[in-house]
Amino acid sequence: MKIAVIGCGRFGTFIAWYLDSIGHHVTLYGRKTSKHMEQLMREHRNEFLSLPESVALTTSLQALEESEVVVISINAQGLSTLMEELKRYGMRDQIMVLCMKGIEIATRRRLSQIVEAAFPQAKIAVWLGPGHVQDFYRGIPNCMVIDSRDEAVKKQLVDAFSGSLIRFYYGQDMIGNEIGAAAKNVIGIAAGMLDGLCLSSLKGALMSRGTREVARLIKSMGGNELSAYGLCHLGDYEATVFSAHSHNRQFGESFVRGENFSALAEGYYTVVALVELGKEYQTDLPICNAVYDILYEKKDAKQTLDELFTRSIKNEFNP
């Protein structure tokens, strides 16, 4: 299968490496101005892995025209701009797979909705779930999920992408999987804040209440609340809430310690959209609101998190 991967960051590069390793013909696209792409073009490697020569590298989006599948792994807030760029190229009946997590701040759209608005006839799928490049490259396997409203596309991708390193499950809820995957990054930031304040023992409560909170939002938006307990969200907590490789956890820890952290932490942007979705769907999101208040309203992290965990007593499983 001919596959184009858009995005030369750590996960986009891993996707290219992985799909090549299971026998696909892969082209990896990155912008000319990207420092990541400059290194890949020069050395065919980055700080995490080495790409085999069989992976083609390009800075031209025209490479998509010959591909059967286009996998996208970029900053979620840049997806709309990318879709406008792609309109200038010959998109035929390619399958577009979003291997990224987030919600557009300006419109509160899920990422698949952004693609659908730009290409109404597109076959769209999402590839979500736990795992870090560093672990995969060392041969440590994990489980992930592929979802699509098109059942044939979903089956085709699971069959084509499965290998000994990744076991794929069939997703059954696009709303739940996309919202759950985006929201787990916010929980990751909260976990990092707890680490930074030496309150790591509260992570168990954070995980439990965070999943319940996200499940309520998914249900309010018309999805299946059980999705929050699957691979897109709860199943991704180990990689997000505990791992030293998690950018969102690292960002939260650095933030409360007053340290600089320059890597992308999608949860920083996603929390803005989630707070607005909570208002729109009249859903209580106390953890998301607390993270938002700390990041954007400059509220004291220790006090805000203390208030979060000393809220009024209630039943554990209120609707």
Side-chain angles (χ1 to χ4, degrees), residues 88-248:
R88 299 199 293 267
Y89 294 90
M91 298 296 292
R92 306 182 311 278
D93 56 351
Q94 291 102 325
I95 299 170
M96 301 182 74
V97 184
L98 298 169
C99 194
M100 47 196 289
K101 302 160 184 176
I103 302 167
E104 188 172 56
I105 294 175
T107 64
R108 301 188 293 280
R109 290 184 296 177
R110 292 179 285 114
L111 304 185
S112 66
Q113 291 176 309
I114 295 172
V115 178
E116 188 174 29
F119 298 98
Q121 305 305 317
K123 301 173 184 176
I124 305 167
V126 295
W127 171 352
L128 305 166
H132 288 293
V133 173
Q134 296 91 326
D135 293 331
F136 281 131
Y137 196 53
R138 289 166 50 209
I140 301 173
N142 217 319
C143 299
M144 304 186 85
V145 61
I146 287 177
D147 204 353
S148 175
R149 291 192 300 179
D150 187 317
E151 292 295 323
V153 165
K154 190 190 311 183
K155 185 177 188 308
Q156 180 183 356
L157 291 174
V158 169
D159 289 346
F161 288 2
S162 292
S164 60
L165 201 56
I166 302 177
R167 173 176 179 172
F168 285 101
Y169 285 81
Y170 296 107
Q172 299 170 286
D173 174 25
M174 286 287 282
I175 293 174
N177 278 317
E178 289 189 86
I179 294 298
K184 68 93 188 178
N185 286 331
V186 176
I187 304 302
I189 290 178
M193 289 177 173
L194 293 177
D195 287 336
L197 295 170
C198 299
L199 296 171
S200 301
S201 60
L202 285 173
K203 283 186 180 181
L206 175 71
M207 292 164 64
S208 175
R209 300 315 305 160
T211 306
R212 192 74 198 106
E213 175 174 319
V214 173
R216 286 196 301 268
L217 179 60
I218 289 171
K219 182 179 180 180
S220 297
M221 293 179 66
N224 183 347
E225 64 183 315
L226 291 178
S227 294
Y229 299 89
L231 288 167
C232 76
H233 190 77
L234 180 60
D236 206 348
Y237 271 10
E238 188 280 330
T240 304
V241 174
F242 294 100
S243 176
H245 302 316
S246 169
H247 281 180
N248 289 282

Side-chain angles (χ1 to χ4, degrees), residues 303-313:
Q303 180 180 343
T304 302
L305 292 172
D306 280 346
E307 291 172 356
L308 177 64
F309 285 99
T310 56
R311 299 171 79 226
S312 59
I313 298 171

